[in-house]
Structures are given as C-alpha cells and as structure tokens.
Amino acid sequence: MLRALAGEALWPPPVWLMRQAGRYLPEFRAMRDKADFMTRCLTPDMAVELTLQPIRRYAMDGAILFSDILILPWALGQSLAFEEGRGPVLDPLRSAADLARLDPARVAEATEPVRETLRRLSRELPAATTLLGFAGSPFTVACYMVEGCGSREFGATREMALTDPELFGRLIALLTDSTAEMLIGQIDAGAEAVMLFDSWAGLLPPSQFRRHVIAPTRRIVERLRTARPGTRIIGFPRLAGVMAPAYARETGVDALACDTSADMAQIARMVPDTLVLQGNLDPFILKTGGETLRREARAIRDGLRGRPHVFNLGHGVMQDTPPEHVAALVEAVRDV
Ligand code: CP3
C-alpha cells in the first residue's frame, strides 16, 4: 500500500476498508462488552487487539489505528462521551470563553496511549501491512465541538462560521495546529501514512469550503511535509462533489479518498495522473453482497487499472454487514 501511495500503479491494487474494525465482527462485539468506547481507544492492549482483528481475518494491506477523530477535542479538554444509540456527546463550544478553556498543551500527554498503541502495532504487524494513523480535519472536528453531538445539518456550526467568523476562524486555527502536532506524534510512533477525515466537508458552499476545508488542510500538509518529509497523506473530503479535484490539487495530499457518490473514472480525468485515488465502493453494496458486490467492486478496480489506486469503500463498513461479504470483497479485488 505504501508503494501505491507513493504513486505506483499496482495490479491488483492494495485494499483496506474504513471502519474495518467494527461491530460487524463478532470478536469486536465481544470486546465491546468489556469496556466503553473511550476506554477501548485509550487502552493500548485493547486498541492494538481491535486494530489487528480485521488484519487477522482478511490480511488487509492497511491497518488503521483503532481510535477516533474526537479524541482531539477530548485531549484539548472538552468533555466527551459516546452514548449508546446517540453517538458522541460533547459540551457544546459556543463562545470565546468556551474556546479559551481548551488547552493545546494537554494534547501530547493525553494522546500518549494512542502513540503507545502505534508503537506496539508497528512491532506486531507484518512488514507488508501499512500502519495508518489519522485525524479528523479541522472543519469536521469543529462540527462536533460546536454542535455538541452528531447532526445532519450542523446548523449551529455553520451559523457560527457565518455570524462570528473571527471566533470560528480561531477554533479552526487551533485545530489546525493541534492536528498537525498530533499527526507528527503519530508518525514518530510508527504511523507510515496518515488520513484526514473530513466527513462533513460537503456541507459547505465553495467560498467556505476553500476557507475552512482546503486552507487548513493545506497548512497541515505543509507542516507534515516540512517536519516529516516523505509521509504519505490521504485526504477524504466527503461529499465535496465537484470541489474534490480542487481540494486534491490545492491541499497537496498524496491521495484523494473518494466517497460513494464519486464517479472514479471521471475524477481520474480531472486530476493529475500522479494523484493516488482511494475508494469508493458503496458500503450498502458490501452489506448486500452477492454477484452485485463482485461486479461493482471489479468495475471500480478495473476502471482505474494503470493508475495508482488503493481500493476502499466510499464510507465506513456498516455494522450489520455479514463478515463473509468482507472476505468476498477482498477476494474479488485480489483475484486477477
Ligand atoms: O476505521 C476504523 O476502523 C478506525 C477507527 C475509526 C473510528 N472512527 C472508530 C469508531 C475511525 C477512523 C473513525 C473516524 C470517525 N469518527 C469519523 C470520520 C469518518 C466517518 O465515519 O465519517 C467520525 C465522523 C467519527 C465520530 C464518531 N465516532 C461517531 C459519529 C461515532 C458514533 C457513530 C457510530 O458509528 O457508532 C463514533 C463511534 C465509533 N468510532 C465507533 C468506532 C468503531 C463505534 C463505537 C462502538 O463500537 O461503540
């Protein structure tokens, strides 16, 4: 996978899946009964085990660190809990006083268990398996911090961006710095490539997309390139649509992770040949399985033959996906 991320067109392409460690695996559910989600993220023994589960089962080419994008707001001092059936709940950040309570100086120490997890993983993983670190992009992390929970619209966040651009800009700047620092720490602890998840990038109009998605991502990429040259960076501006090629060009990421809605062949024509594409099978197709799964997976794979590609889904594995469908997908991608 590292060779593909460096721009080599491999055949068959390497494969891993977003949310490959998850509730669809019985061994994951068994661990779930033992500790809450935050404890699983912050206890290296558990996080190592959860990262390795899909590697043992499917020999994925990439192992993504078991953690969460919301560990950063928690490390900055914001309260965070994952509630059953509700997802993440944070103390909403709505004012300059709320912002002032965040403390970037806490992040390095609070995220030490994550780096310990990476150090152990880099010893335990087969050499051919690429260890991936990650973070949320500033905009998506800000969405959860301001809203205080998941949402379809993130109305409070988008309102703050428009009515108090100074405050919102300071939050984005703080997240940009902390994210770059945190990723440098992950790289030093063994992450061989990193991915930036911008799940809600597609909510923004073009002017705000440039300001809150492209510009901060470019700063993070520049910081990583200066501090740790050679690190491969994957960007995932979910639902960015026709803005995705501009994102790839202007941020300087090595790889563009495409969401389910993207026509990969069309994207491929809109970006430089050297840009690596990752994606983008619909997680519903994976859940459904059967001949459709094999046909659609191979259409994506075959359509990108000859250019650097990392096979993945367009979003995370759904929790009610039969584990044998994942095995069938990996087999369909690897069978040439
Ligand atoms: O991909 C992986 O397997 C690696 C680990 C990973 C998780 N979350 C584990 C997780 C990664 C890379 C993430 C990223 C993440 N987290 C994103 C961006 C990607 C995306 O899905 O759009 C976002 C928006 C989050 C925030 C988050 N974490 C939400 C909204 C939720 C609740 C919804 C849900 O699916 O439960 C989580 C919880 C979470 N993160 C779980 C896992 C395995 C489920 C928790 C559990 O098992 O109890």
Side-chain angles (χ1 to χ4, degrees), residues 19-20 23 28 32 37 40 67-68 134 144 199 315:
R19 285 287 182 96
Q20 60 191 17
R23 275 169 279 188
F28 181 96
R32 225 175 156 243
F37 178 62
R40 280 176 279 147
S67 182
D68 198 83
F134 71 89
Y144 289 95
S199 306
H315 203 190

Side-chain angles (χ1 to χ4, degrees), residues 206-234:
S207 59
Q208 300 251 310
F209 183 90
R210 288 196 180 87
R211 181 162 170 186
H212 300 309
V213 172
I214 293 182
T217 304
R218 183 176 56 232
R219 276 195 287 278
I220 293 168
V221 170
E222 282 167 356
R223 291 270 274 283
L224 297 187
R225 294 231 184 288
T226 308
R228 300 295 179 272
T231 306
R232 304 299 167 189
I233 307 164
I234 307 168

Side-chain angles (χ1 to χ4, degrees), residues 16-23 28 32 37 40 64-70 82 87-88 134 140 144 197 199-200 236 238 315:
W16 69 280
L17 306 180
M18 291 188 269
R19 285 287 182 96
Q20 60 191 17
R23 275 169 279 188
F28 181 96
R32 225 175 156 243
F37 178 62
R40 280 176 279 147
I64 186 159
L65 165 71
F66 187 83
S67 182
D68 198 83
I69 65 166
L70 300 179
F82 285 84
F134 71 89
T140 286
Y144 289 95
F197 287 87
S199 306
W200 301 107
F236 181 42
R238 195 169 73 92
H315 203 190

Side-chain angles (χ1 to χ4, degrees), residues 4-7 254-257 272-278 307-310:
L5 289 175
D254 298 283
L256 177 67
D273 287 342
T274 49
L275 183 78
V276 184
L277 296 179
Q278 178 174 284
R307 63 169 297 146
H309 176 213
V310 175

